[in-house]
Amino acid sequence: MKINKWISCVIVFMVLTCSAVIGFNAAADPFGVFGDHLFDWYAFDMTNNPRVAKIAYLDERSGAYDSYIIGCSKTASFSAERLNEYYGDAAFYNMIMYGGDMYDIKKTAEYVILQYSPKNIIIALGLEETTRYNYNDEGIKNELHAKTDGEPLLPFYAKYALLNPGYGLDKLSAMADRSLLPGATDVFVPESGVYNKTRRDAESIGDLEEFRRNNPAFEYDLTDKTMDFSDQAVSDVAEIKRLCDERGVDFKLVMMPIYYKEMNNYRYDELLRYWEALADVTEFWDFSGYSSISYDERYFYDAYHFRNSVGDAVLARIFGDTRRYVPADLGQLTTKENADVRAADVFTDKGAPDPSLYTKELPILLYHDLSESTDGAAVTPESFGRDMLALKENGYTAVSFADVRDYAERGTELPEKPVVISFDDGYRSNYLFAYEILKEFGMKGVVNMIGVSVGKSTYKDTSQPIIPHFSYAEAREMYASGVMDFQSHSYAMHDSLPLEDPQTFRNGVLPKKGEGEREYIEVFRADVLQSKTEAEKNIGADVFVYAYPMGFYSELTEALLIETGFSVTLSIEPGINCLIKGIPQSLLAMKRINRTTESKDIIETLAEFSE
């Protein structure tokens, strides 16, 4: 082959290869820069680089939004939906970027203000924005979009067109594993911009020691910080505010909550100087420093990121929402006049508060059938009466799950020794015996009903006899008295193996063998909604508690129940629960103490579990 022909072949090969790479990258679009028209999977693109993908996403959809909250990864805990509720006429987008510094925040804010003409801008800052500036340690995964950075567009798009195809192949591979729950490759909700914490918010976190064991990173001390770029941060805040003022954009600055070990990294004199300089530029809402939530790890996902429920508390304080729990020392409007006093207060470590001020132990007792001829899980009415008498004589007060929910969500106090008396399944003996005994002792209880079994004495759609269940008329009588509440134990997912075909038997609410996730989600959602709808329609109860049949559950079922409006879930794991004010998540997978004929004295049992 002649040399010129060989060179031509090489050139043609290179052109074809280059064209193939460009075509593949444009189609796969793993950073969303070309509009992700083929896959429309911006959750993946934003996970690769939210700075780039969010600008590409919003350039095509900015008309759907008129307000933006902008900040580093801590900003992820602010709900766009909640902000819309408080502003009343706003459509917020969360511009959280992980690893962001003040340079990223300023450039993003400038672009959003100048290009999208918003009505409202919130800048959310931690303290780390004062420790570095225009810093990028991850290359393409941390860079800004050229539009926000003011760089030429041609080389920017060329770089993504000629990108290593491995990024696109990763996207194709990840598509096969897509699930309702976020994975490592799709942690954003593109429609609102928030970091998807569905999985983290479905964890059971009531037990502090267990939570610490599951999250060992909290044990480590963090690196000391120096606020070398505090002047630059103040200057950038001033510039963002100037742009907002010139264009009639409502501007808010929020300093976010901080874990106490992160606070320990900063020097008081530097913090004081920074606070006073910020207050000279603008008033701001300050939630940083040492506060009631700073010392309990359960208010945080990790040492640098506070929970969504804490984000809700921050917004509740700013907008005066008394429906949510906000510690008295969390948040204050900081101005020129009080900046030094405020700094002296919140930057002084006062030590962890007494946990009894914001936590409460709660035993939940579990009963089933009350019967003279005890069998399996049944107890006699006499035994149940003895339990109620012992509880009353030992100072316990029966509370409802509505009371429990109000404690966790609103901080409404509970009695000194609260207890929940629960019944699973919905047997008629709950009406004949438990109802009367509870009335006698001035107590109250809750029945978690199997919806399909209400009023029945046969199993589902068969003629197989089962223990009789109370009717809706009897349930309405109990509910109207205020003695008994009614919640869900599924509609028809509580299978009994002796009465089911082993090939189609469902183990609790877990997927059947061979049942795909999409099919399973559809079946589970339908059953949950039917159980809720039927009880609310026929009894009038507010159904927000789900007792898992046989106690089996998963991250997916927890997430689906939260999505469906349930805020309390019950397992059958034995133990006493720890409720936490301001963390409704402490109401998930709650433990219960099962009472059977063989059970020990109720007071002795409670004492053992409390040790």
Side-chain angles (χ1 to χ4, degrees):
M1 182 183 293
K2 294 183 179 180
I3 187 65
N4 56 347
K5 188 173 182 180
W6 183 84
I7 291 172
S8 298
C9 289
V10 170
I11 291 172
V12 169
F13 175 77
M14 291 177 64
V15 169
L16 291 175
T17 301
C18 187
S19 298
V21 169
I22 291 171
F24 176 74
N25 283 330
D29 202 6
F31 289 83
V33 295
F34 303 112
D36 201 0
H37 298 294
L38 183 60
F39 297 107
D40 191 24
W41 192 17
Y42 269 98
F44 181 95
D45 310 336
M46 291 179 187
T47 302
N48 265 343
N49 185 341
R51 296 164 177 79
V52 166
K54 286 186 176 182
I55 294 300
Y57 181 88
L58 288 170
D59 277 351
E60 295 187 4
R61 302 167 178 83
S62 61
Y65 308 96
D66 61 17
S67 304
Y68 299 85
I69 181 167
I70 304 170
C72 66
S73 54
K74 286 183 173 69
T75 312
S77 291
F78 292 124
S79 162
E81 181 181 4
R82 198 81 69 209
L83 283 165
N84 294 341
E85 173 191 338
Y86 287 135
Y87 274 83
D89 61 346
F92 263 89
Y93 198 83
N94 192 317
M95 296 296 290
I96 167 253
M97 58 195 94
Y98 38 70
D101 59 32
M102 199 65 221
Y103 178 83
D104 301 307
I105 293 169
K106 177 192 175 185
K107 287 294 185 180
T108 301
E110 287 176 340
Y111 185 80
V112 165
I113 294 166
L114 297 175
Q115 298 300 318
Y116 302 154
S117 301
K119 294 193 300 186
N120 307 290
I121 288 288
I122 299 175
I123 300 298
L125 300 181
L127 294 175
E128 64 271 27
E129 292 88 349
T130 65
T131 66
R132 60 190 183 190
Y133 195 75
N134 198 12
Y135 177 77
N136 181 357
D137 61 350
E138 289 197 43
I140 199 167
K141 290 205 166 189
N142 263 12
E143 71 176 10
L144 287 168
H145 198 293
K147 290 180 178 181
T148 58
D149 214 12
E151 298 297 323
L153 292 179
L154 183 58
F156 172 80
Y157 285 115
K159 174 173 58 178
Y160 283 90
L162 295 169
L163 195 65
N164 181 340
Y167 289 107
L169 292 172
D170 287 344
K171 185 173 185 177
L172 298 182
S173 175
M175 289 196 72
D177 299 321
R178 290 178 71 174
S179 167
L180 175 77
L181 297 176
T185 61
D186 58 348
V187 297
F188 279 90
V189 180
E191 294 77 12
S192 62
V194 300
Y195 199 92
N196 191 340
K197 296 172 184 169
T198 301
R199 191 184 295 270
R200 296 301 308 271
D201 286 340
E203 295 171 330
S204 177
I205 64 170
D207 187 311
L208 179 56
E209 295 308 313
E210 181 182 357
F211 181 76
R212 286 172 173 164
R213 286 194 300 272
N214 293 337
N215 296 273
F218 282 107
E219 298 176 9
Y220 310 137
D221 290 329
L222 308 180
T223 306
D224 287 343
K225 306 286 187 181
T226 56
M227 303 174 72
D228 295 334
F229 297 97
S230 60
D231 290 341
Q232 184 65 59
V234 172
S235 175
D236 286 353
V237 168
E239 177 59 19
I240 296 169
K241 185 176 186 300
R242 183 190 66 79
L243 283 174
C244 288
D245 290 345
E246 287 179 352
R247 288 160 178 78
V249 180
D250 182 77
F251 172 84
K252 279 186 175 62
L253 175 64
V254 178
M255 306 302 294
M256 296 183 283
I258 308 287
Y259 179 51
Y260 84 98
K261 284 188 177 180
E262 183 181 353
M263 280 305 310
N264 292 345
N265 297 331
Y266 294 92
R267 289 172 43 189
Y268 174 80
D269 59 324
E270 291 184 332
L271 289 166
L272 177 59
R273 190 171 70 87
Y274 181 44
W275 247 233
E276 291 177 333
L278 277 178
D280 278 338
V281 170
T282 181
E283 65 180 25
F284 59 93
W285 279 96
D286 175 26
F287 296 87
S288 67
Y290 300 97
S291 71
S292 299
I293 70 162
S294 300
Y295 302 90
D296 193 318
E297 291 86 349
R298 290 169 295 186
Y299 285 106
F300 297 82
Y301 296 109
D302 55 52
Y304 288 103
H305 302 98
F306 54 91
R307 288 194 177 275
N308 283 1
S309 56
V310 175
D312 287 346
V314 166
L315 296 181
R317 172 72 79 208
I318 292 173
F319 293 96
D321 184 354
T322 58
R323 296 169 300 171
R324 292 182 173 83
Y325 170 72
V326 185
D329 64 346
L330 182 65
Q332 180 177 320
L333 186 63
T334 300
T335 65
K336 290 181 183 180
E337 290 71 30
N338 68 7
D340 56 341
V341 175
R342 173 69 180 165
D345 180 28
V346 299
F347 298 144
T348 300
D349 188 352
K350 308 174 192 67
D354 181 350
S356 67
L357 296 175
Y358 65 93
T359 64
K360 178 71 75 172
E361 280 197 348
L362 177 74
I364 303 175
L365 304 181
L366 170 58
Y367 298 89
H368 292 81
D369 187 27
L370 303 187
S371 172
E372 292 292 352
S373 56
T374 59
D375 181 27
V379 300
T380 65
E382 291 76 19
S383 294
F384 180 71
R386 285 195 296 271
D387 279 359
M388 297 305 103
L389 176 61
L391 290 172
K392 196 168 186 67
E393 289 181 339
N394 283 271
Y396 283 91
T397 302
V399 297
S400 69
F401 278 115
D403 298 326
V404 172
R405 179 179 59 180
D406 283 348
Y407 179 90
E409 292 184 356
R410 304 182 62 177
T412 305
E413 295 298 341
L414 287 169
E416 183 180 352
K417 296 172 72 174
V419 62
V420 171
I421 301 163
S422 73
F423 303 83
D424 274 5
D425 302 331
Y427 297 115
R428 193 157 190 264
S429 63
N430 300 161
Y431 173 71
L432 296 174
F433 304 118
Y435 174 43
E436 296 301 326
I437 293 170
L438 289 170
K439 281 195 294 186
E440 177 186 348
F441 288 102
M443 308 286 264
K444 55 186 173 182
V446 55
V447 181
N448 305 298
M449 305 182 307
I450 303 171
V452 73
S453 298
V454 175
K456 302 287 185 60
S457 56
T458 56
Y459 182 72
K460 294 186 181 179
D461 295 324
T462 74
S463 59
Q464 295 288 336
I466 58 173
I467 300 171
H469 289 61
F470 56 71
S471 68
Y472 277 124
E474 291 164 335
R476 284 193 294 272
E477 176 189 338
M478 290 188 278
Y479 183 71
S481 73
V483 171
M484 202 74 86
D485 189 22
F486 295 89
Q487 300 294 333
S488 176
H489 197 34
S490 84
Y491 184 77
M493 293 187 94
H494 196 314
D495 286 358
S496 177
L497 186 54
L499 304 176
E500 291 279 351
D501 181 343
Q503 300 302 313
T504 60
F505 171 75
R506 185 183 298 279
N507 199 10
V509 299
L510 299 180
K512 294 181 178 180
K513 184 177 180 180
E515 191 172 35
E517 183 184 79
R518 185 172 297 181
E519 177 190 0
Y520 170 69
I521 289 173
E522 185 177 335
V523 170
F524 182 74
R525 275 181 179 151
D527 186 89
V528 166
L529 286 170
Q530 187 171 5
S531 74
K532 179 178 173 69
T533 302
E534 292 286 333
E536 291 181 343
K537 179 182 70 174
N538 289 292
I539 303 173
D542 174 20
V543 179
F544 60 92
V545 180
Y546 191 91
Y548 283 109
M550 302 182 208
F552 299 131
Y553 65 95
S554 66
E555 285 183 327
L556 180 58
T557 60
E558 292 283 79
L560 288 168
L561 285 166
I562 293 168
E563 174 194 278
T564 314
F566 285 78
S567 51
V568 180
T569 62
L570 306 176
S571 73
I572 57 171
E573 181 182 351
I576 291 181
N577 303 283
C578 178
L579 306 177
I580 311 168
K581 288 182 180 179
I583 308 186
Q585 197 171 341
S586 61
L587 305 179
L588 299 180
M590 299 185 80
K591 301 172 182 177
R592 293 190 286 174
I593 298 170
N594 192 20
R595 300 296 290 165
T596 66
T597 304
E598 292 77 24
S599 294
K600 296 180 182 177
D601 175 82
I602 183 65
I603 303 304
E604 290 180 9
T605 300
L606 292 176
E608 289 177 4
F609 279 116
S610 294
E611 292 176 356

